[in-house]
Short mmCIF file of all heavy atoms in Angstrom, two decimals:
data_model
loop_
_atom_site.label_atom_id
_atom_site.label_comp_id
_atom_site.label_asym_id
_atom_site.label_seq_id
_atom_site.Cartn_x
_atom_site.Cartn_y
_atom_site.Cartn_z
N SER A 354 -3.20 23.23 35.89
CA SER A 354 -3.39 22.30 37.01
C SER A 354 -2.46 21.08 36.95
O SER A 354 -2.39 20.30 37.88
CB SER A 354 -4.85 21.82 37.04
OG SER A 354 -5.17 21.22 35.80
N MET A 355 -1.72 20.94 35.84
CA MET A 355 -0.84 19.76 35.73
C MET A 355 0.38 20.07 34.87
O MET A 355 0.29 20.10 33.64
CB MET A 355 -1.62 18.59 35.11
CG MET A 355 -0.82 17.30 35.08
SD MET A 355 -1.78 15.94 34.39
CE MET A 355 -0.52 14.67 34.28
N PRO A 356 1.55 20.25 35.48
CA PRO A 356 2.78 20.51 34.71
C PRO A 356 3.09 19.33 33.79
O PRO A 356 2.91 18.18 34.18
CB PRO A 356 3.86 20.66 35.79
CG PRO A 356 3.12 20.89 37.06
CD PRO A 356 1.79 20.23 36.92
N GLY A 357 3.53 19.63 32.58
CA GLY A 357 3.88 18.56 31.64
C GLY A 357 2.72 18.10 30.78
O GLY A 357 2.91 17.33 29.83
N LEU A 358 1.48 18.56 31.11
CA LEU A 358 0.32 18.13 30.34
C LEU A 358 0.39 18.57 28.86
O LEU A 358 0.14 17.76 27.97
CB LEU A 358 -0.98 18.64 30.98
CG LEU A 358 -2.27 18.27 30.24
CD1 LEU A 358 -2.49 16.76 30.25
CD2 LEU A 358 -3.47 18.97 30.85
N PRO A 359 0.74 19.84 28.58
CA PRO A 359 0.86 20.23 27.16
C PRO A 359 1.89 19.38 26.41
O PRO A 359 1.67 19.00 25.26
CB PRO A 359 1.30 21.70 27.21
CG PRO A 359 0.86 22.18 28.54
CD PRO A 359 0.99 21.00 29.46
N GLY A 360 3.00 19.05 27.09
CA GLY A 360 4.03 18.21 26.48
C GLY A 360 3.50 16.83 26.17
O GLY A 360 3.75 16.26 25.11
N LEU A 361 2.71 16.27 27.12
CA LEU A 361 2.11 14.94 26.92
C LEU A 361 1.10 14.97 25.77
O LEU A 361 1.07 14.08 24.93
CB LEU A 361 1.42 14.48 28.22
CG LEU A 361 0.75 13.10 28.17
CD1 LEU A 361 1.79 12.00 28.02
CD2 LEU A 361 -0.09 12.86 29.43
N PHE A 362 0.29 16.04 25.73
CA PHE A 362 -0.72 16.17 24.69
C PHE A 362 -0.09 16.27 23.30
O PHE A 362 -0.46 15.55 22.38
CB PHE A 362 -1.60 17.41 24.95
CG PHE A 362 -2.44 17.80 23.77
CD1 PHE A 362 -3.54 17.04 23.40
CD2 PHE A 362 -2.12 18.91 23.00
CE1 PHE A 362 -4.30 17.39 22.30
CE2 PHE A 362 -2.87 19.27 21.90
CZ PHE A 362 -3.98 18.50 21.56
N VAL A 363 0.91 17.15 23.17
CA VAL A 363 1.57 17.33 21.87
C VAL A 363 2.31 16.04 21.48
O VAL A 363 2.33 15.66 20.31
CB VAL A 363 2.53 18.55 21.89
CG1 VAL A 363 3.39 18.59 20.63
CG2 VAL A 363 1.72 19.83 22.00
N SER A 364 2.87 15.34 22.48
CA SER A 364 3.50 14.04 22.20
C SER A 364 2.48 13.05 21.65
O SER A 364 2.76 12.29 20.73
CB SER A 364 4.13 13.45 23.47
OG SER A 364 5.16 14.29 23.94
N GLY A 365 1.27 13.08 22.24
CA GLY A 365 0.20 12.19 21.78
C GLY A 365 -0.20 12.48 20.35
O GLY A 365 -0.35 11.57 19.53
N VAL A 366 -0.36 13.77 20.01
CA VAL A 366 -0.76 14.16 18.65
C VAL A 366 0.36 13.83 17.66
O VAL A 366 0.11 13.29 16.58
CB VAL A 366 -1.10 15.67 18.59
CG1 VAL A 366 -1.41 16.09 17.16
CG2 VAL A 366 -2.28 15.98 19.48
N PHE A 367 1.60 14.13 18.05
CA PHE A 367 2.73 13.82 17.17
C PHE A 367 2.96 12.32 17.05
O PHE A 367 3.38 11.83 16.01
CB PHE A 367 4.01 14.52 17.65
CG PHE A 367 4.32 15.75 16.87
CD1 PHE A 367 4.24 17.00 17.45
CD2 PHE A 367 4.67 15.67 15.53
CE1 PHE A 367 4.51 18.14 16.72
CE2 PHE A 367 4.93 16.81 14.78
CZ PHE A 367 4.86 18.05 15.38
N SER A 368 2.66 11.58 18.12
CA SER A 368 2.78 10.11 18.07
C SER A 368 1.86 9.57 16.99
O SER A 368 2.24 8.69 16.21
CB SER A 368 2.38 9.49 19.41
OG SER A 368 3.36 9.77 20.38
N ALA A 369 0.64 10.11 16.96
CA ALA A 369 -0.33 9.68 15.94
C ALA A 369 0.20 9.99 14.55
O ALA A 369 0.07 9.18 13.62
CB ALA A 369 -1.66 10.39 16.18
N ALA A 370 0.82 11.15 14.39
CA ALA A 370 1.35 11.55 13.08
C ALA A 370 2.55 10.71 12.67
O ALA A 370 2.65 10.25 11.54
CB ALA A 370 1.73 13.02 13.11
N LEU A 371 3.48 10.51 13.62
CA LEU A 371 4.70 9.75 13.32
C LEU A 371 4.38 8.31 12.94
O LEU A 371 4.99 7.75 12.03
CB LEU A 371 5.64 9.75 14.54
CG LEU A 371 6.43 11.03 14.79
CD1 LEU A 371 7.27 10.87 16.05
CD2 LEU A 371 7.34 11.35 13.62
N SER A 372 3.41 7.71 13.66
CA SER A 372 3.08 6.32 13.36
C SER A 372 2.44 6.20 11.99
O SER A 372 2.72 5.27 11.24
CB SER A 372 2.16 5.74 14.44
OG SER A 372 1.02 6.55 14.59
N SER A 373 1.59 7.20 11.64
CA SER A 373 0.99 7.17 10.29
C SER A 373 2.06 7.37 9.23
O SER A 373 2.04 6.74 8.17
CB SER A 373 -0.07 8.27 10.16
OG SER A 373 -1.11 8.06 11.08
N MET A 374 3.04 8.24 9.52
CA MET A 374 4.10 8.52 8.54
C MET A 374 5.02 7.30 8.38
O MET A 374 5.33 6.90 7.26
CB MET A 374 4.92 9.73 8.97
CG MET A 374 5.99 10.09 7.96
SD MET A 374 7.01 11.49 8.48
CE MET A 374 8.16 11.60 7.10
N SER A 375 5.43 6.71 9.51
CA SER A 375 6.36 5.57 9.43
C SER A 375 5.70 4.37 8.74
O SER A 375 6.32 3.69 7.92
CB SER A 375 6.86 5.18 10.83
OG SER A 375 5.79 4.76 11.64
N THR A 376 4.42 4.15 9.05
CA THR A 376 3.67 3.07 8.38
C THR A 376 3.59 3.34 6.88
O THR A 376 3.79 2.45 6.06
CB THR A 376 2.24 2.98 8.96
OG1 THR A 376 2.35 2.70 10.34
CG2 THR A 376 1.44 1.89 8.29
N GLY A 377 3.29 4.59 6.54
CA GLY A 377 3.20 4.98 5.13
C GLY A 377 4.52 4.78 4.40
O GLY A 377 4.54 4.21 3.30
N LEU A 378 5.61 5.21 5.01
CA LEU A 378 6.94 5.08 4.38
C LEU A 378 7.29 3.60 4.17
O LEU A 378 7.78 3.21 3.11
CB LEU A 378 8.02 5.75 5.24
CG LEU A 378 7.97 7.28 5.36
CD1 LEU A 378 9.09 7.77 6.27
CD2 LEU A 378 8.07 7.96 4.01
N ASN A 379 7.04 2.80 5.21
CA ASN A 379 7.38 1.37 5.13
C ASN A 379 6.55 0.65 4.08
O ASN A 379 7.06 -0.15 3.29
CB ASN A 379 7.20 0.73 6.52
CG ASN A 379 7.77 -0.68 6.60
OD1 ASN A 379 7.02 -1.65 6.63
ND2 ASN A 379 9.08 -0.80 6.63
N SER A 380 5.24 0.95 4.04
CA SER A 380 4.37 0.27 3.06
C SER A 380 4.62 0.79 1.64
O SER A 380 4.58 0.02 0.68
CB SER A 380 2.89 0.41 3.44
OG SER A 380 2.55 1.76 3.60
#
Side-chain angles (χ1 to χ4, degrees):
S354 57
M355 185 179 172
L358 179 65
L361 180 66
F362 166 73
V363 170
S364 297
V366 176
F367 259 112
S368 289
L371 283 178
S372 54
S373 298
M374 182 182 179
S375 62
T376 300
L378 292 179
N379 191 254
S380 55

